[in-house]
Amino acid sequence: NAGVMQNPRHLVRRRGQEARLRCSPMKGHSHVYWYRQLPEEGLKFMVYLQKENIIDESGMPKERFSAEFPKEGPSILRIQQVVRGDSAAYFCASSPPGQKHSGNTIYFGEGSWLTVV
Amino acid sequence: EDKVVQSPLSLVVHEGDTVTLNCSYEVTNFRSLLWYKQEKKAPTFLFMLTSSGIEKKSGRLSSILDKKELFSILNITATQTGDSAVYLCAVTSGTYKYIFGTGTRLKVLA
């Protein structure tokens, strides 16, 4: 059973370009979460999605950032017009439906490292 | 504002030493506290603590929670070089949001 799959693992973008990060949750999981980890900082919640719905995007910057989780295909975190401050590791996590959100039922992917030059 | 503070920020020890990592928190509607190990990739789950005074143990690692004083400790005995990692503490407040500390960077020297 494959884990949470993220790609690309590493992405380099010039300022002003767009970055698209993809996340395929574990099989059977329908809840997806995106966290951002800035250098030397802890992970910070960005957004929580279920299939075709954004449940909570309170941790996501209001501008340039968007997320989706379509009926088919992976969840995508999109960053438009990237700036140097967007350089970070972006972690996706998933959990199965119908269970309380707890530490032993949320699984992290290996992260996508975005570098803006 | 909810927050999680970990100490020390970094630690260097020699193999065989015992280390204690600290995590204090301030959060409304506390639900559980979790410890993760991160080695430049996905954080891997170590422990979830919900009740005070009950030690969770896995091999050389153990952890305990004090809900009165609002902190937890993670102990690692007989450290090995493979224990070198960042140890993250996170708290959930009854929702799906995890509030993470900045982590403790542990380096174990051979």
Side-chain angles (χ1 to χ4, degrees):
Chain A
N1 188 12
V4 179
M5 304 299 292
Q6 290 189 246
N7 69 82
R9 292 296 312 282
H10 299 276
L11 182 64
V12 179
R13 284 287 177 265
R14 295 186 184 279
R15 281 177 294 172
Q17 291 185 319
E18 179 179 287
R20 282 188 180 225
L21 310 177
R22 287 174 289 277
C23 169
S24 295
M26 285 184 71
K27 188 176 180 180
H29 288 193
S30 58
H31 298 200
V32 166
Y33 315 85
W34 285 93
Y35 283 78
R36 176 165 69 173
Q37 186 174 36
L38 294 168
E40 308 302 322
E41 291 189 15
L43 284 78
K44 287 191 167 32
F45 169 82
M46 296 182 75
V47 61
Y48 162 38
L49 308 106
Q50 295 178 15
K51 282 285 186 182
E52 298 185 279
N53 284 307
I54 297 174
I55 307 301
D56 183 346
E57 57 183 350
S58 60
M60 201 152 67
K62 294 287 186 287
E63 296 178 355
R64 303 188 296 108
F65 284 72
S66 61
E68 63 177 12
F69 188 16
K71 188 176 179 182
E72 302 290 338
S75 174
I76 295 175
L77 180 67
R78 182 181 178 206
I79 311 171
Q80 295 178 290
Q81 299 175 328
V82 296
V83 301
R84 288 232 172 97
D86 297 333
S87 296
Y90 292 84
F91 286 93
C92 173
S94 72
S95 65
Q99 291 197 23
K100 292 182 180 179
H101 184 88
S102 60
N104 55 357
T105 58
I106 186 173
Y107 299 87
F108 283 91
E110 298 206 340
S112 290
W113 266 258
L114 171 66
T115 301
V116 180
V117 296
Chain B
E1 182 184 341
D2 296 341
K3 64 179 180 180
V4 175
V5 178
Q6 292 186 245
S7 64
L9 290 181
S10 64
L11 193 55
V12 181
V13 300
H14 289 91
E15 273 192 318
D17 288 350
T18 293
V19 298
T20 298
L21 310 183
N22 303 293
C23 175
S24 63
Y25 62 90
E26 291 178 29
V27 62
T28 52
N29 301 319
F30 173 87
R31 181 173 179 175
S32 57
L33 183 144
L34 304 103
W35 285 97
Y36 286 86
K37 179 182 181 182
Q38 187 178 22
E39 298 170 273
K40 285 211 178 279
K41 49 185 183 179
T44 51
F45 172 77
L46 296 175
F47 297 111
M48 182 175 71
L49 304 153
T50 54
S51 301
S52 273
I54 300 175
E55 185 183 53
K56 293 276 183 99
K57 199 168 171 61
S58 176
R60 296 176 295 101
L61 276 68
S62 64
S63 183
I64 197 161
L65 173 67
D66 185 328
K67 289 168 74 173
K68 183 179 177 186
E69 299 298 330
L70 308 182
F71 78 91
S72 172
I73 60 171
L74 175 68
N75 278 322
I76 309 175
T77 58
T79 51
Q80 303 171 356
T81 54
D83 295 327
S84 296
V86 176
Y87 289 84
L88 297 170
C89 173
V91 172
T92 64
S93 58
T95 69
Y96 40 79
K97 292 179 190 175
Y98 286 6
I99 303 154
F100 280 87
T102 54
T104 292
R105 187 175 299 275
L106 174 66
K107 187 172 178 63
V108 182
L109 303 175

